Amino acid sequence: MTDPLRIDLRAFRGALGAFATGVTIVTTRDKDGRDVGLTANSFNSVSLEPPMVLWSLGKTSQSLKAFVEAGHFAVHILSIDQDSLSGRFAKSGGDKFVGLTVERGQGQIPLLDGCAARFECRSAFQYDGGDHVIFVGEVIALDHSGRPPLVFHGGRYAAVIGTSEAARQEPRAATEGGFGEDFLGYLLGRAHYQFFARMRPELERRVLREEEYTDILSVLSLRDNRSVTELNALVEFTGYHVTQEAVASLEKRGLVSLDSATDPDPRVQLTAEGRRTVIELIAVAKSIEADAEADLDQSERLVLRRLLKKVLRNTDPGLPSLWEAE
Amino acid sequence: MTDPLRIDLRAFRGALGAFATGVTIVTTRDKDGRDVGLTANSFNSVSLEPPMVLWSLGKTSQSLKAFVEAGHFAVHILSIDQDSLSGRFAKSGGDKFVGLTVERGQGQIPLLDGCAARFECRSAFQYDGGDHVIFVGEVIALDHSGRPPLVFHGGRYAAVIGTSEAARQEPRAATEGGFGEDFLGYLLGRAHYQFFARMRPELERRVLREEEYTDILSVLSLRDNRSVTELNALVEFTGYHVTQEAVASLEKRGLVSLDSATDPDPRVQLTAEGRRTVIELIAVAKSIEADAEADLDQSERLVLRRLLKKVLRNTDPGLPSLWEAE
């Protein structure tokens, strides 16, 4: 036997955080017929035959008695968009089920909606586990939606993104002094140009130059009535310079109007025709977006945007916001 | 008591796969002094005071006896780049430790290197769990590297990407018929142009136009001696058309040479000067890449590339490879 341990609690919690887990809500019904539920990430599988799962609960939990006495409980594996549900069931006290759609399982235990998977269990064993009780349940019913899971890692919610596919195909390596298929500048440029290449026929059909759409019309669609100087502050990082000639040409085609013919820095507004054109083109862009991420699941879509925004922050030359007035 | 269960084993495995977990290797030393270890994702925390963790092992496992008899075991939480180590310890038989750097912990148990976290445990309880034994260990030593973890979900390896940060800041929403900050076409375009904006001063210093670098010189750096027609097949999706005049202008500046002055479709090679120029510019681009992903961890870098490649596949207009000869 080792002496009483001197493991620092904070260090222990920190190291446990290195183990990523799904997030579950475990529910049951107490002897008085009240629904009980709490968030737990101590879930895991135990046995295949018979099918058994386990989770553990602190001995000081208000819900302990209900689970110790319960003949059945249900484990809900939460999906990526259930982080607020996880938060609700992580707090103690109050009726956590208010306003939720609840089905009834074995023993009238409450079953929640919209999860990645769900297990109804018969209480099989309860074991001592230090300051927790380990509950082992025999699975008597299950369902599985295929939704991407919510996970918990390092004290935060996270998404899970499969990597096997990427591993299967080795990226073309960089040559000496050159770049390979994993070079971020290449991937970003190629993704942008392939996306935009699908816009081009639509622009040509409307006799619009690329920059007329991306650097003038679509910028005005976010906030109208900007001066040429303001437009340039927003778009010059693309290498394009908005000139008075360019806006005059759009004016001639009835897509924008200028508040002055003589002001060297006129304010530009979309006409009704201009606005209609942008709305049509944005609709096209959104259908390209749908194709571009057709086989990305919800977690992958979320994470791709989040990582691109990190790259935007890291490469930001200090641009004003496209959406807000200065 | 419920009747013997009729849960389909495949459905049970599938539903369990919805619960994402970290991947661990558990090691010990058997009575004969042999190192024993295996991959397990049935790990979880149990108790804080005393600090306890658990995992479970199939009753038919060859390693069961060693763990049942062992006074100590160690749990290693694997990091994102330890998927092959996970594979090695998931197979039964053979000496799994060959060639590995092994430290020795309490009771001479083998400790592996490069993990996200590591727990040395004193065997505390062993419990029945259907076809598995549940091992509860009291943690007597730990370390924690902060490396991003390997996870297992839906039968595959995966990475964990935090989402809390993204959730904190609400993206600017799309206006009616407009686009918001989460529009993929916007994020890709802006990321590309912000990245490339940092290249522009370097190009100007060398009196090079953007397209001369991106669509001719850097393409030739991947494979030299392409005809103008071949170059166009590779780059026309960007909206730029490589002309004979463009390559003639680069030739005049000593950056490329042409195999014929009269051929309407001459082959283009980088000169030594041209190659030096491209290598310098790619070095600049790589330093921009380092800045662009400065605060991305290893999992985030891997996942960003994987997701961009998915977008590339989904928007591919059928382009030939930049790297391979046709």
Side-chain angles (χ1 to χ4, degrees), chain B residues 86-98:
Chain B
S86 167
R88 180 201 280 224
F89 278 83
K91 292 187 196 101
S92 60
D95 181 356
K96 301 173 180 177
F97 293 85
V98 170

Side-chain angles (χ1 to χ4, degrees), chain A residues 174-180 183 185, chain B residues 195 198-199 202-203 205-206 213 218 221 274-292:
Chain A
T175 50
E176 177 73 20
F179 63 91
F183 174 56
Chain B
F195 193 107
R198 299 206 174 187
M199 289 297 292
E202 295 292 327
L203 294 172
R205 225 158 58 77
R206 290 167 178 83
Y213 165 61
S218 77
S221 80
R275 188 165 296 278
R276 193 168 60 240
T277 301
V278 185
I279 287 176
E280 283 172 16
L281 289 168
I282 290 173
V284 170
K286 285 184 178 171
S287 88
I288 301 169
E289 177 185 51
D291 288 347

Side-chain angles (χ1 to χ4, degrees), chain A residues 5 20 22 46-47 127-128 131-132 138 159 161-162 172 178 182 184 286 289 292 295 305-306 309 314 324, chain B residues 5 20 22 46 49 127-128 131-132 138 159 161-162 172 178 182 184 286 289 292 295 305-306 309 314 324:
Chain A
L5 302 165
V46 186
S47 169
Y127 294 128
D128 182 39
D131 60 14
H132 279 57
E138 191 167 355
I161 310 288
R172 237 88 46 171
D182 265 348
L184 192 57
K286 286 183 177 171
E289 178 185 50
D295 59 353
R305 285 166 174 75
R306 174 168 180 272
K309 285 177 191 173
N314 293 340
E324 278 159 27
Chain B
L5 302 165
V46 186
E49 295 177 291
Y127 293 129
D128 182 39
D131 59 14
H132 279 58
E138 190 168 356
I161 310 288
R172 237 97 34 179
D182 264 348
L184 191 58
K286 285 184 178 171
E289 177 185 51
D295 59 353
R305 285 166 173 75
R306 173 168 178 272
K309 286 178 192 173
N314 293 340
E324 276 159 26

